[in-house]
Amino acid sequence: MPSTKKSNPELIQETIFSRGYMTEYDVWEMLRQNPSEQEVIETFGLPDSVWLDEIESTKFLYYFISEMQDYNTIEISTKTDSVSGFEWD
């Protein structure tokens, strides 16, 4: 399981997303290419929280966007270690 902002605050770093260099379209384009979990974390930073489904096939990385007061979800397949789905507003 990846670290979260709360579990390891010392690992928080600026990313191209946190700097505001990505549009919503850029986010969508990147995620639909099914990047690896590592690429997701390098691009978006540490998630706010992480959950594993009951059959341990999918990790859910939650990112809170304070400007919108909204959580966005990136699903990572535990078999392929890459994006298997997402919901990003």
Side-chain angles (χ1 to χ4, degrees):
M1 296 290 276
S3 297
T4 64
K5 291 177 183 174
K6 187 174 182 177
S7 69
N8 288 342
E10 71 280 1
L11 297 178
I12 297 173
Q13 298 180 356
E14 282 194 346
T15 64
I16 61 171
F17 179 75
S18 69
R19 291 180 185 145
Y21 296 151
M22 294 182 80
T23 66
E24 289 181 30
Y25 181 77
D26 295 330
V27 170
W28 187 83
E29 278 294 313
M30 185 245 186
L31 292 175
R32 76 179 191 96
Q33 295 176 19
N34 300 10
S36 70
E37 179 179 317
Q38 184 61 36
E39 291 172 306
V40 168
I41 292 172
E42 287 172 1
T43 302
F44 298 102
L46 295 176
D48 292 284
S49 62
V50 179
W51 299 92
L52 185 62
D53 71 352
E54 60 278 350
I55 59 173
E56 299 184 0
S57 66
T58 305
K59 293 181 222 175
F60 296 88
L61 282 57
Y62 293 95
Y63 288 88
F64 183 70
I65 309 300
S66 58
E67 297 83 18
M68 298 173 57
Q69 293 294 299
D70 186 38
Y71 273 100
N72 293 287
T73 307
I74 301 174
E75 300 170 22
I76 305 288
S77 166
T78 58
K79 292 180 183 170
T80 65
D81 193 39
S82 62
V83 172
S84 59
F86 61 93
E87 183 178 326
W88 200 277
D89 298 332

